[in-house]
Amino acid sequence: MDWLTGIQNAINYIEEHLTEEIDYEEVAKEAACSNFYFQRIFGILCGISLGDYIRNRRLTLAGDELSASDDKVIDIALKYGYESPESFTRAFSRFHGVTPSEAKKDGSKLRSFSRISVKITLSGGSVMNYKIVEREAFDIIEKVETHSVEDSANAKSIPEFWSRSHQDGTVKTLMNVTTDRTFIFGVCYGNLPENAKTFDYSIAATYAKDAAVPEGFRRNTIPARTWAVFECKGAMPNAIQDLWHKIVSEFFPTSSYKPTYEIDIEAYSEGNMGDPEYYSEVWIPVVKC
């Protein structure tokens, strides 16, 4: 299964089950990847979290049905997964700007969030500097935190982790003890068991195998892999976010490689991260399609 076909199969599954309880694990299986990586890819590719997409589509269809039928508000609420008319009314009003009762009136203005269709669009060439690197296993020292898989909560919690780590001396400690000051890593561990609700993310640096580990850190080994290494130049976080979007929407759909969905690394150099010339990299383990 190719990259875009898998994502589209998952979206088709969602659309076919909007009036049922949707299991994110089952959605991810349609894309042949883990729940965590599917939600991550979906967010990067579509610019909206999986949970928000499902809510917006349900509220769109609910608005259509309220305006075009005589069905009761409570029946529509239950159909689209709301346990009470009150919770449905709150969500509906936030989305549409009118209450469900007002939506039944002629001329009531409603919002529509359309179904996503994944396609390759040729809109002008983008240049991505990358290389395929065979790298032996290497040791790192890392500060690890656990983050939520659900509903893109990690899009907020991981930047907060980085902010704390700059303030509490974590990054300084890593730079003082590392065997290579070229990069500080953000390591995302995505090889998760089924139905996992959390994943580990670490701030890390390379480290000697036999060196003492400072309190609050752990030593780990990054396995030997074939890596697609993408160069990034520009101020954070926009530059690396833009690069991720190109990787997901342009590189993997058209390349002869696919990700292993087990781990990925963002490599940050020393320097001013707000500088337009700031350099970083994204490392993704890959296999031949």
Side-chain angles (χ1 to χ4, degrees):
M1 182 189 304
D2 66 60
W3 177 267
L4 292 182
T5 298
I7 301 298
Q8 188 62 64
N9 286 348
I11 292 172
N12 293 344
Y13 177 90
I14 291 167
E15 292 291 333
E16 292 165 4
H17 295 82
L18 283 172
T19 59
E20 305 167 23
E21 183 175 352
I22 295 177
D23 184 340
Y24 286 12
E25 293 285 347
E26 293 301 318
V27 174
K29 286 178 182 177
E30 295 291 322
C33 65
S34 71
N35 174 17
F36 166 69
Y37 266 105
F38 176 74
Q39 290 198 56
R40 193 169 187 203
I41 292 165
F42 185 93
I44 293 169
L45 189 64
C46 302
I48 185 173
S49 74
L50 179 59
D52 283 343
Y53 177 79
I54 292 171
R55 280 188 289 273
N56 289 351
R57 288 292 296 139
R58 283 172 169 166
L59 290 167
T60 293
L61 297 180
D64 289 343
E65 293 189 28
L66 284 169
S67 65
S69 73
D70 295 325
D71 292 349
K72 295 179 179 178
V73 171
I74 189 171
D75 293 333
I76 300 294
L78 292 172
K79 180 177 180 178
Y80 287 102
Y82 290 87
E83 296 181 354
S84 70
E86 292 76 18
S87 61
F88 176 63
T89 296
R90 286 194 297 271
F92 191 94
S93 299
R94 282 195 300 269
F95 181 77
H96 287 287
V98 297
T99 66
S101 297
E102 290 170 336
K104 282 184 162 293
K105 299 176 182 178
D106 290 342
S108 183
K109 292 183 179 181
L110 299 174
R111 294 181 65 199
S112 177
F113 186 88
S114 61
R115 173 176 181 158
I116 288 176
S117 181
V118 180
K119 300 175 182 178
I120 297 177
T121 302
L122 300 178
S123 57
S126 295
V127 175
M128 276 184 286
N129 294 323
Y130 78 96
K131 55 189 175 184
I132 303 298
V133 178
E134 300 285 346
R135 181 161 185 169
E136 296 299 319
F138 62 98
D139 291 309
I140 59 172
I141 179 175
E142 57 185 355
K143 174 69 72 70
V144 184
E145 278 195 356
T146 299
H147 297 265
S148 174
V149 168
E150 299 298 332
D151 221 5
S152 297
N154 55 80
K156 180 180 179 181
S157 63
I158 289 176
E160 289 175 347
F161 179 30
W162 272 99
S163 180
R164 288 196 310 275
S165 295
H166 280 287
Q167 294 170 8
D168 66 16
T170 293
V171 172
K172 183 177 180 180
T173 297
L174 289 169
M175 293 303 290
N176 287 340
V177 302
T178 181
T179 54
D180 182 355
R181 293 174 63 94
T182 305
F183 292 116
I184 292 291
F185 301 123
V187 184
C188 186
Y189 295 99
N191 193 15
L192 307 177
E194 189 168 331
N195 296 316
K197 300 300 182 185
T198 61
F199 68 99
D200 283 348
Y201 180 94
S202 77
I203 298 175
T206 55
Y207 201 54
K209 196 177 190 69
D210 56 353
V213 178
E215 184 177 354
F217 293 79
R218 78 177 184 188
R219 183 188 292 109
N220 200 10
T221 300
I222 302 298
R225 289 292 183 270
T226 301
W227 299 86
V229 177
F230 299 87
E231 297 181 2
C232 181
K233 189 190 316 187
M236 296 293 108
N238 290 344
I240 209 158
Q241 290 172 351
D242 290 345
L243 176 60
W244 268 110
H245 189 272
K246 289 178 181 178
I247 291 169
V248 169
S249 64
E250 299 177 26
F251 178 78
F252 282 122
T254 57
S255 80
S256 57
Y257 293 92
K258 63 180 180 180
T260 63
Y261 300 115
E262 58 185 319
I263 190 174
D264 57 70
I265 297 174
E266 293 176 353
Y268 298 101
S269 65
E270 285 192 89
N272 177 10
M273 298 180 81
D275 191 319
E277 298 299 310
Y278 178 77
Y279 182 80
S280 57
E281 294 179 348
V282 171
W283 301 6
I284 302 175
V286 295
V287 293
K288 279 279 193 178
C289 296

